[in-house]
Amino acid sequence: MGFAYFAGANFLLTLVAAILCVCFAPTAAGPGIPEIKAYLNGVDTPNMFGATTLIVKIIGSVGAVSAGLDLGKEGPLVHIGSCIASLLGQGGPDNYRLKWRWLRYFNNDRDRRDLITCGASSGVCAAFRAPVGGVLFALEEVATWWRSALLWRTFFGTAVVVVVLRAFMEICKSGNCGLFGKGGLIMFDVSNVSVRYHAVDIIPVALIGVLGGVLGSLYNHLLHKILRVYNLINEKGKFHKLLLALSVSIFTSVCLYGLPFLARCRPCDPSLPDSSCPTTGRAGNFKQFNCPKDYYNDLATLLLTTNDDAVRNIFSISTPREYEILSLIIFFALYCILGLVTFGIAVPSGLFLPIILMGSAYGRMLGTAMGPYTKIDQGLYAVLGAASLMAGSMRMTVSLCVIFLELTNNLLLLPITMLVLLIAKTVGDCFNPSIYEIILELKGLPFLDAHPEPWMRNITVGELADVKPAVVTLSGIEKVGRIVEILKNTTHNGFPVVDEGVVPPMGSRIGATELHGLVLRAHLVLVLKKKWFLQERRRTEEWEVREKFTSIDLAERGVKIEEVMVTEDEMEMYVDLHPLTNTTPYTVVESISVAKAMVLFRQVGLRHMLILPKYQAAGVFPVVGILTRQDLRAHNILSAFPHLEKSSGGKKGH
Amino acid sequence: MGFAYFAGANFLLTLVAAILCVCFAPTAAGPGIPEIKAYLNGVDTPNMFGATTLIVKIIGSVGAVSAGLDLGKEGPLVHIGSCIASLLGQGGPDNYRLKWRWLRYFNNDRDRRDLITCGASSGVCAAFRAPVGGVLFALEEVATWWRSALLWRTFFGTAVVVVVLRAFMEICKSGNCGLFGKGGLIMFDVSNVSVRYHAVDIIPVALIGVLGGVLGSLYNHLLHKILRVYNLINEKGKFHKLLLALSVSIFTSVCLYGLPFLARCRPCDPSLPDSSCPTTGRAGNFKQFNCPKDYYNDLATLLLTTNDDAVRNIFSISTPREYEILSLIIFFALYCILGLVTFGIAVPSGLFLPIILMGSAYGRMLGTAMGPYTKIDQGLYAVLGAASLMAGSMRMTVSLCVIFLELTNNLLLLPITMLVLLIAKTVGDCFNPSIYEIILELKGLPFLDAHPEPWMRNITVGELADVKPAVVTLSGIEKVGRIVEILKNTTHNGFPVVDEGVVPPMGSRIGATELHGLVLRAHLVLVLKKKWFLQERRRTEEWEVREKFTSIDLAERGVKIEEVMVTEDEMEMYVDLHPLTNTTPYTVVESISVAKAMVLFRQVGLRHMLILPKYQAAGVFPVVGILTRQDLRAHNILSAFPHLEKSSGGKKGH
């Protein structure tokens, strides 16, 4: 009967979360962090930061977490933070935007990027109550370009989060907001234990680090395989997606309810105060479950509770005999399985908490096994285990260190936490890339890596341009017909503008060609839509330009060429592209190596890069080609130049 | 008699420090942080990271701090860390370098830069025992280019520092290293106070922030003026430098010894344990000075002690009646004067501690004044005051926040510390730039700012090139005589290499000119020194090149053209510059704006940038000009184009 209620409630909650995700906003499923990372790298996933996604993510995350599934609210909170930032920046959802004057200041890509970074760091801060950790998370994991101004802007964002959080806690202290006011600002407080460790303790600490690295990369590897299988299932349709989510929910319920029966009842430690063991009907350690008075079931303490409380219980200090090693093994095995099968289902899910649970389990196991040989508390072993698995899987160091510092409020743990994180990251890096990179690759997002591959030094951008279709250029004053034709027949987003037969200001050398700049597809479509046409082939005067365009017109996006109607007569008219052209595009010479071009592309944050000829003579065309993000992706270059991979010595790894 | 000993010892210690600095390593004076910042920005100060500087800095810093001068060891420790990193990276001091094989891996500018960044963060870590704070300090204040790999490398460095520090503490716990083993890993521990604050406390906290911002920028302003006067004095010669340092030392001794007589003796709080009040002959609160038994002198508690202990005493919590407000005012006034006059003298000096002392004084004053109206402890007011003045003067936020977190070990202080820091920084930014920027400007180091000025968008690099002397180019195969002449008559460090009359591979267009690349002065001098000359005008074969040059030869630096002897016969010979040329320099088109060129220059970390013509025709020279760091400095552009400043609306500020 108890099981029926338990499983039924979980089933319903999962159903709600999954239906919302499947039907209304598929982008709300999963953590959202990889997509945010890709967005900040310059790759936009459609509908990622919309109002629907936000609402589905909030409700879905509440549902999925309450359903007792093995997933966290951290990733979703990061995504929620970014959604809110994006919506605030553009003045509301797409259809009902506020058109306030000051909102225009945010109407550029850089500010949008900065806002979303601030949102992500605030999300981490809200999830872990770790303001500095949030800033560092955004810096280390999420952001591609970092400006010093961003450091204190994200910091300001997280400061506001903390102040608001504290204010709510103050208001809710009287108990009229349910469980909300409970607990302090620090989630898993272990500050009241005095940490003592000696040189000998380095050995188990290093062991945890190595274990974390190995298990973390193993987890990444297995999750990769399972996500591939899930992708195949999910592709079959909405019903299959739902079915997958619901079967995971039922499996979770069965395990959580059934497994505690395997553990035997253990007597409470008589030295503890009466009220603390066993606990029934409230959060806390030592769950009674089916045991007699003054006895408790240690596995139920870990399983039949919220995930947050499970972490608190397994981190608990000065309770060296609370958990039997067998219970911990069952707990670890169960959460390994759940952590692998739960992540890919169609509900909002974070990776942090499952990994913390897994890691703390083997950390505590090791602590129990070390028993008399160590002075470090078992609770701290659990903390170190969690940290090691996080570093082994996510490959972050400084941000994790600060998050753990802020989670546990024990500064004396810092040196050994640092050691564990560094060892785990180093060991993990030997095997495979971080979990977020694996997900990015699985989703097929063209993420641009920070470092060019070594073989990219052996190929020039000129060679790259040679194997591409010839570049499509426009004249400064172009026929409407040609623009329409080019826009319809190509998918390029930028076109070089070249003036032929101009006279350079230095005189004498007539018949020169001039590279005027780069014009964007969006602006060309806009010209056609607004019909800024000229009867004859002439340049527009400055006053005409001022009359015709405003910067707000040009910021408009999303008009498609198919929606634009141009009559036969208009086809014969002209457009002066000069005022619409970006006259100062970044350029490279054709002899530059791809590696160097990629550094420029990524460091400055470009979308298009023009290639100039290294020769100077009459008849040489002033543009050799144009490079985009796709051209610089290692995978695409290698498919055109297969011999390069061989020269890199087969060291491609993944 | 006591005064004579006190002043005499201080005088001697200052004398040692000052003589070392003045005679052996003038670069060791001051904090060294601005020079490190400049180095990482691409500006090398000669003799900054040498072995002599290191030794003088260590001894000088010990002398200056022991002499009781109002300066800290933090800046010097950062410099010491960087020196050690630099020396380790190059295998020892310039004259006695180890030539280990693996050291060659560090023999490039990027790795040298990374090593020095790691050294700087380790220095902060050693100074404050703040590993995460050290990493963030390097990120926020010191580094110009930040790579994600650097984050965990600096983190690894600080982790090692903490582990070594802890190991020494463990060894020294028995007391056989003097005072070293005393105290824990946290310097100013205030963790055992439970911080309670409410919405009302926001007001004094905000007040501290505003005060910090105003006083910080005032301090920056006054220090700027005083440093200018000091520069005039110091220019008069070594004797004047020494005299200045010694008079400051005597003034400090007189004040520290004399002022406590102004304060009256106060009875010890009877609730305190006997041994804690008064203290004599050891570090601690409640100095007895000239008072009777069970009485103490509060001003002596702050003045007649080491600077570290003074901070510890003024931060002390749960001692609300320890200091009279008059004593605090005297203390604040004294340290304001000392903080201003001490910094510029010729000894190694840090800025952190003087600012912490000043800030904590007015913080504690405010706390005493607020008295019954607040629930926040006076000691915490002192901490907040120190934080606010640091932010107001140095304009760091996140790193200061973490450093204070790690200094005081009280995570609950975090929200209000963040608030104070942000307010102080924002207020300070309204008045003047940060103290380090002021020092950089005073030293005349061509630091390249992160953000181009707004008026830089209104000028193209072509216009910039027009007002410069015409660019000096070399042919691919050049006469030795011309190379010698150019090297002797110009000071450029890079020369474009242009081949005329080449046939492009596409055929037909004969008589083209080709931009081959950029050759460095250092390599040209090397060619002359090694006499790699050709009898006739021809290109070298690849096997010849491999025979002639090794990459180690090319990494050699520091040979001057004046030291190279070339005979008359050799002057008529030729050099094939092709193998020495960097064929893939970064380039910009002449129509690009200076603002965009500067973004490229700084983001990619360049020394030279070639300007290409936007016209393509026969007879157009393939290089318009070359840009260096000096060309892109706002000051230099404005002196050539004075009208630009007007168009920026006179908003230049400083």
Side-chain angles (χ1 to χ4, degrees):
Chain A
M1 186 71 183
F3 173 72
Y5 273 115
F6 179 73
N10 288 350
F11 186 84
L12 280 179
L13 286 164
T14 314
L15 188 69
V16 171
I19 283 183
L20 280 173
C21 273
V22 170
C23 300
F24 297 102
T27 46
I33 295 176
E35 286 90 348
I36 298 170
K37 212 178 147 174
Y39 180 87
L40 296 177
N41 191 266
V43 186
D44 199 0
T45 314
N47 303 320
M48 199 60 207
F49 302 106
T52 327
T53 311
L54 175 63
I55 295 166
V56 169
K57 195 100 192 187
I58 294 175
I59 303 175
S61 180
V62 170
V65 171
S66 332
L69 292 172
D70 179 31
L71 41 77
K73 59 187 189 306
E74 295 72 26
L77 271 170
V78 172
H79 190 181
I80 290 168
S82 303
C83 281
I84 294 174
S86 169
L87 289 173
L88 284 180
Q90 65 179 32
D94 283 341
N95 315 326
Y96 308 98
R97 271 190 211 175
L98 294 170
K99 296 276 184 190
W100 284 331
R101 220 184 159 68
W102 59 265
L103 274 176
R104 287 187 196 155
Y105 291 109
F106 297 115
N107 215 341
N108 65 69
D109 289 340
R110 197 184 63 181
D111 283 346
R112 221 169 285 143
R113 204 169 71 197
D114 284 2
L115 271 173
I116 285 177
T117 312
C118 289
S121 65
S122 303
V124 176
C125 173
F128 293 112
R129 301 177 197 168
V132 183
V135 172
L136 285 172
F137 178 81
L139 167 65
E140 192 175 11
E141 187 58 41
V142 184
T144 298
W145 296 284
W146 193 264
R147 310 186 292 132
S148 59
L150 210 49
L151 197 63
W152 81 271
R153 280 179 198 170
T154 49
F155 190 58
F156 183 77
T158 57
V160 172
V161 171
V162 169
V163 169
V164 170
L165 199 63
R166 246 203 111 87
F168 270 111
M169 278 178 185
E170 201 74 28
I171 295 166
C172 292
K173 204 179 276 165
S174 44
N176 45 13
C177 339
L179 279 168
F180 183 84
K182 292 281 159 63
L185 206 59
I186 289 110
M187 292 175 87
F188 313 121
D189 200 338
V190 296
S191 66
N192 49 346
V193 62
S194 69
V195 185
R196 304 218 47 77
Y197 42 86
H198 297 289
V200 196
D201 291 322
I202 294 286
I203 301 164
V205 164
L207 186 65
I208 291 183
V210 174
L211 264 177
V214 172
L215 291 176
S217 53
L218 188 68
Y219 177 75
N220 288 2
H221 180 75
L222 293 177
L223 194 60
H224 186 190
K225 300 280 173 222
I226 287 177
L227 286 179
R228 281 179 131 168
V229 176
Y230 275 22
N231 273 354
L232 293 179
I233 299 175
N234 286 339
E235 270 166 20
K236 288 192 181 162
K238 291 182 179 179
F239 182 70
H240 284 86
K241 271 192 189 179
L242 264 182
L243 211 65
L244 186 64
L246 293 176
S247 16
V248 169
S249 167
I250 291 171
F251 176 71
T252 308
S253 298
V254 170
C255 291
L256 291 187
Y257 200 90
L259 286 177
F261 287 102
L262 292 180
R264 60 187 176 82
C265 290
R266 311 185 71 205
C268 288
D269 190 338
S271 66
L272 290 167
D274 255 6
S275 62
S276 71
C277 176
T279 56
T280 317
R282 62 188 169 82
N285 241 332
F286 306 110
K287 285 272 172 271
Q288 193 170 1
F289 196 55
N290 274 342
C291 295
K293 194 172 171 300
D294 288 337
Y295 279 76
Y296 72 98
N297 181 315
D298 59 349
L299 204 49
T301 305
L302 296 174
L303 298 182
L304 278 175
T305 178
T306 63
N307 289 337
D308 269 16
D309 269 331
V311 176
R312 212 165 278 131
N313 293 342
I314 204 165
F315 280 4
S316 66
I317 44 171
S318 309
T319 53
R321 272 180 299 276
E322 184 175 354
Y323 302 105
E324 266 189 298
I325 201 133
L326 182 72
S327 306
L328 288 172
I329 292 173
I330 296 176
F331 176 74
F332 178 61
L334 172 64
Y335 271 87
C336 282
I337 298 166
L338 290 181
L340 286 168
V341 298
T342 311
F343 180 70
I345 63 174
V347 295
S349 57
L351 265 175
F352 281 95
L353 212 76
I355 293 180
I356 289 182
L357 281 170
M358 262 184 277
S360 59
Y362 76 77
R364 186 119 196 170
M365 261 150 66
L366 194 73
T368 313
M370 288 295 293
Y373 306 108
T374 179
K375 281 197 173 181
I376 305 180
D377 194 282
Q378 287 184 17
L380 300 184
Y381 266 104
V383 172
L384 292 177
S388 74
L389 196 64
M390 295 266 269
S393 172
M394 299 180 169
R395 312 289 156 78
M396 296 184 277
T397 50
V398 189
S399 53
L400 276 183
C401 183
V402 175
I403 287 175
F404 268 88
L405 183 65
E406 293 184 303
L407 275 179
T408 57
N409 190 23
N410 196 325
L411 212 76
L412 292 166
L413 268 178
L414 192 59
I416 45 174
T417 315
M418 289 170 91
L419 207 69
V420 162
L421 289 173
L422 286 169
I423 294 174
K425 182 196 155 72
T426 314
V427 171
D429 275 340
C430 300
F431 297 107
N432 51 22
S434 85
I435 187 75
Y436 290 124
E437 280 175 54
I438 289 177
I439 298 173
L440 275 173
E441 216 185 297
L442 263 179
K443 300 215 171 203
L445 296 169
F447 192 84
L448 211 60
D449 266 327
H451 304 290
E453 307 274 344
W455 50 260
M456 289 186 181
R457 273 175 277 177
N458 304 331
I459 176 172
T460 68
V461 292
E463 291 171 282
L464 216 58
D466 282 346
V467 298
K468 282 185 67 179
V471 60
V472 180
T473 56
L474 294 167
S475 293
I477 298 161
E478 188 60 87
K479 251 192 161 171
V480 175
R482 175 137 196 269
I483 295 178
V484 172
E485 190 199 316
I486 286 175
L487 287 181
K488 286 204 172 146
N489 295 335
T490 66
T491 56
H492 304 324
N493 279 313
F495 303 91
V497 176
V498 173
D499 279 330
E500 300 203 34
V502 293
V503 184
M506 306 293 262
S508 78
R509 300 167 306 224
I510 36 170
T513 51
E514 179 194 351
L515 170 64
H516 191 72
L518 185 84
V519 69
L520 294 179
R521 166 179 284 262
H523 292 170
L524 289 177
V525 175
L526 203 76
V527 165
L528 298 180
K529 192 187 161 203
K530 303 243 164 170
K531 302 200 183 296
W532 288 325
F533 302 145
L534 301 170
Q535 294 293 347
E536 69 277 37
R537 186 185 281 268
R538 67 166 173 92
R539 291 191 73 146
T540 40
E541 304 295 321
E542 214 184 309
W543 60 266
E544 280 182 289
V545 174
R546 243 184 264 124
E547 215 163 62
K548 278 185 175 168
F549 318 116
T550 64
S551 58
I552 294 127
D553 285 332
L554 291 178
E556 206 177 298
R557 291 284 154 94
V559 190
K560 292 217 173 63
I561 176 68
E562 287 76 22
E563 300 165 9
V564 176
M565 297 300 292
V566 183
T567 63
E568 279 297 320
D569 283 354
E570 285 169 344
M571 285 290 199
E572 294 301 312
M573 291 165 86
Y574 294 94
V575 178
D576 181 8
L577 294 177
H578 291 107
L580 291 164
T581 305
N582 168 13
T583 55
T584 65
Y586 283 101
T587 53
V588 286
V589 177
E590 56 180 327
S591 57
I592 208 167
S593 70
V594 172
K596 272 185 154 180
M598 193 171 149
V599 167
L600 167 62
F601 198 88
R602 192 186 133 117
Q603 288 288 0
V604 183
L606 302 181
R607 296 196 164 274
H608 305 97
M609 191 157 59
L610 295 182
I611 307 175
L612 305 186
K614 63 174 179 172
Y615 296 106
Q616 182 65 252
V620 176
F621 202 69
V623 186
V624 173
I626 187 166
L627 286 183
T628 63
R629 169 183 297 266
Q630 291 290 354
D631 298 323
L632 291 173
R633 289 199 72 200
H635 181 77
N636 297 347
I637 300 177
L638 284 178
S639 59
F641 298 91
H643 65 279
L644 283 172
E645 186 158 30
K646 224 182 289 166
S647 73
S648 75
K651 270 192 69 181
K652 264 287 287 170
H654 50 288
Chain B
M1 188 68 185
F3 173 72
Y5 272 115
F6 179 72
N10 287 351
F11 185 85
L12 280 178
L13 286 165
T14 315
L15 188 68
V16 171
I19 283 183
L20 280 173
C21 273
V22 170
C23 300
F24 296 102
T27 47
I33 295 176
E35 286 90 347
I36 297 170
K37 214 179 144 171
Y39 180 87
L40 296 177
N41 191 266
V43 187
D44 198 0
T45 314
N47 302 322
M48 199 59 207
F49 301 106
T52 328
T53 311
L54 175 64
I55 295 165
V56 169
K57 196 100 191 185
I58 294 175
I59 302 175
S61 181
V62 170
V65 170
S66 334
L69 292 172
D70 178 30
L71 41 78
K73 59 186 187 308
E74 295 72 25
L77 270 171
V78 172
H79 189 180
I80 289 169
S82 302
C83 282
I84 294 174
S86 169
L87 290 173
L88 284 181
Q90 65 180 33
D94 283 340
N95 314 328
Y96 307 98
R97 271 191 211 173
L98 293 171
K99 297 275 184 191
W100 284 333
R101 217 181 163 71
W102 58 266
L103 274 175
R104 286 185 196 159
Y105 291 108
F106 297 114
N107 215 341
N108 66 68
D109 288 341
R110 196 184 65 179
D111 284 346
R112 221 170 283 144
R113 204 168 72 198
D114 283 2
L115 271 173
I116 285 177
T117 312
C118 289
S121 65
S122 302
V124 175
C125 174
F128 293 112
R129 300 177 198 170
V132 184
V135 172
L136 286 171
F137 178 81
L139 167 65
E140 192 175 11
E141 187 59 40
V142 183
T144 298
W145 295 283
W146 192 263
R147 309 186 293 132
S148 59
L150 210 48
L151 197 64
W152 81 270
R153 281 179 198 171
T154 49
F155 190 59
F156 183 77
T158 58
V160 172
V161 171
V162 169
V163 169
V164 170
L165 199 61
R166 247 204 110 89
F168 270 112
M169 278 177 185
E170 201 73 28
I171 295 166
C172 292
K173 204 180 277 165
S174 44
N176 45 13
C177 340
L179 280 169
F180 183 84
K182 292 280 159 63
L185 205 59
I186 289 111
M187 291 175 89
F188 313 122
D189 199 338
V190 296
S191 66
N192 49 345
V193 63
S194 68
V195 185
R196 304 217 47 78
Y197 42 87
H198 298 288
V200 197
D201 290 323
I202 294 286
I203 301 163
V205 165
L207 186 65
I208 290 182
V210 174
L211 264 175
V214 173
L215 290 176
S217 52
L218 188 68
Y219 177 75
N220 288 2
H221 180 75
L222 293 176
L223 193 60
H224 186 190
K225 300 278 174 225
I226 287 176
L227 286 179
R228 279 177 130 169
V229 176
Y230 275 23
N231 272 354
L232 293 179
I233 299 174
N234 286 339
E235 271 165 20
K236 287 190 180 161
K238 291 183 178 178
F239 183 68
H240 283 86
K241 271 192 188 179
L242 264 183
L243 212 66
L244 185 64
L246 293 175
S247 17
V248 168
S249 166
I250 291 170
F251 176 70
T252 307
S253 299
V254 170
C255 290
L256 291 187
Y257 200 90
L259 285 177
F261 288 102
L262 292 180
R264 61 187 175 82
C265 289
R266 311 185 71 205
C268 286
D269 189 338
S271 67
L272 290 167
D274 256 7
S275 60
S276 71
C277 176
T279 56
T280 316
R282 61 189 170 83
N285 242 332
F286 306 109
K287 285 272 172 272
Q288 191 170 1
F289 197 53
N290 273 343
C291 295
K293 194 171 171 301
D294 287 337
Y295 279 75
Y296 72 98
N297 182 316
D298 60 348
L299 204 49
T301 306
L302 296 175
L303 297 182
L304 278 176
T305 177
T306 63
N307 289 337
D308 268 14
D309 268 333
V311 175
R312 212 165 277 131
N313 293 342
I314 203 164
F315 279 4
S316 66
I317 44 171
S318 311
T319 52
R321 272 180 298 276
E322 183 174 355
Y323 303 105
E324 265 189 300
I325 200 133
L326 182 72
S327 305
L328 287 173
I329 292 174
I330 296 176
F331 175 75
F332 178 60
L334 172 64
Y335 271 87
C336 281
I337 299 168
L338 288 181
L340 286 169
V341 298
T342 311
F343 180 71
I345 63 174
V347 295
S349 56
L351 264 175
F352 280 94
L353 213 77
I355 293 179
I356 290 182
L357 282 169
M358 262 184 277
S360 59
Y362 77 78
R364 186 121 195 167
M365 262 151 66
L366 194 73
T368 313
M370 289 294 294
Y373 306 109
T374 180
K375 282 198 173 179
I376 305 179
D377 194 282
Q378 289 184 17
L380 300 185
Y381 266 104
V383 172
L384 293 177
S388 74
L389 196 64
M390 295 265 270
S393 172
M394 297 179 172
R395 311 291 156 76
M396 295 184 278
T397 51
V398 189
S399 52
L400 276 184
C401 185
V402 175
I403 287 175
F404 268 88
L405 183 65
E406 294 184 302
L407 275 179
T408 58
N409 190 24
N410 197 324
L411 211 75
L412 292 165
L413 267 178
L414 192 61
I416 44 173
T417 315
M418 288 170 93
L419 207 71
V420 161
L421 289 172
L422 286 169
I423 294 175
K425 182 195 156 71
T426 315
V427 170
D429 274 339
C430 301
F431 297 107
N432 51 23
S434 83
I435 187 75
Y436 290 125
E437 281 175 52
I438 290 176
I439 298 173
L440 275 173
E441 215 186 298
L442 263 178
K443 299 214 171 200
L445 296 169
F447 192 83
L448 211 60
D449 266 326
H451 304 290
E453 308 273 344
W455 50 260
M456 287 185 181
R457 272 175 279 176
N458 304 331
I459 177 172
T460 68
V461 293
E463 292 171 284
L464 216 60
D466 282 346
V467 298
K468 283 185 65 179
V471 59
V472 180
T473 56
L474 295 167
S475 292
I477 298 161
E478 189 60 89
K479 250 192 158 171
V480 175
R482 175 136 196 269
I483 296 177
V484 172
E485 191 200 315
I486 286 176
L487 288 180
K488 286 205 171 144
N489 295 335
T490 67
T491 56
H492 304 323
N493 280 313
F495 303 91
V497 176
V498 173
D499 278 330
E500 300 203 34
V502 292
V503 183
M506 305 292 263
S508 78
R509 300 166 307 223
I510 36 172
T513 52
E514 178 194 350
L515 170 63
H516 190 73
L518 186 84
V519 69
L520 294 179
R521 166 179 284 263
H523 292 172
L524 289 177
V525 174
L526 204 74
V527 165
L528 298 180
K529 191 187 162 204
K530 304 242 165 168
K531 302 199 185 295
W532 287 326
F533 302 145
L534 300 171
Q535 293 293 348
E536 69 277 37
R537 185 185 284 265
R538 67 163 174 94
R539 289 191 74 147
T540 40
E541 304 294 322
E542 215 185 308
W543 60 266
E544 280 182 289
V545 174
R546 241 184 268 122
E547 213 163 63
K548 278 183 174 171
F549 317 116
T550 63
S551 58
I552 293 129
D553 284 333
L554 292 177
E556 206 177 301
R557 291 285 153 92
V559 188
K560 291 219 176 60
I561 176 68
E562 287 76 21
E563 301 164 9
V564 176
M565 297 300 292
V566 182
T567 63
E568 280 298 319
D569 283 352
E570 285 168 345
M571 285 290 198
E572 294 302 313
M573 290 164 87
Y574 294 95
V575 178
D576 180 10
L577 294 178
H578 291 107
L580 292 164
T581 306
N582 169 12
T583 55
T584 65
Y586 283 102
T587 54
V588 287
V589 177
E590 56 179 327
S591 58
I592 209 168
S593 70
V594 172
K596 272 185 151 179
M598 193 170 148
V599 167
L600 167 61
F601 197 90
R602 193 186 132 117
Q603 287 289 0
V604 183
L606 301 180
R607 296 197 164 274
H608 306 96
M609 190 158 58
L610 295 182
I611 307 176
L612 305 186
K614 62 175 178 172
Y615 297 105
Q616 182 65 253
V620 176
F621 202 69
V623 186
V624 172
I626 188 165
L627 286 183
T628 63
R629 169 182 296 265
Q630 291 288 354
D631 299 322
L632 290 173
R633 290 198 72 200
H635 181 77
N636 297 347
I637 300 176
L638 285 177
S639 59
F641 298 92
H643 65 279
L644 284 171
E645 186 156 31
K646 226 181 286 166
S647 73
S648 75
K651 269 193 68 182
K652 265 286 287 170
H654 50 285

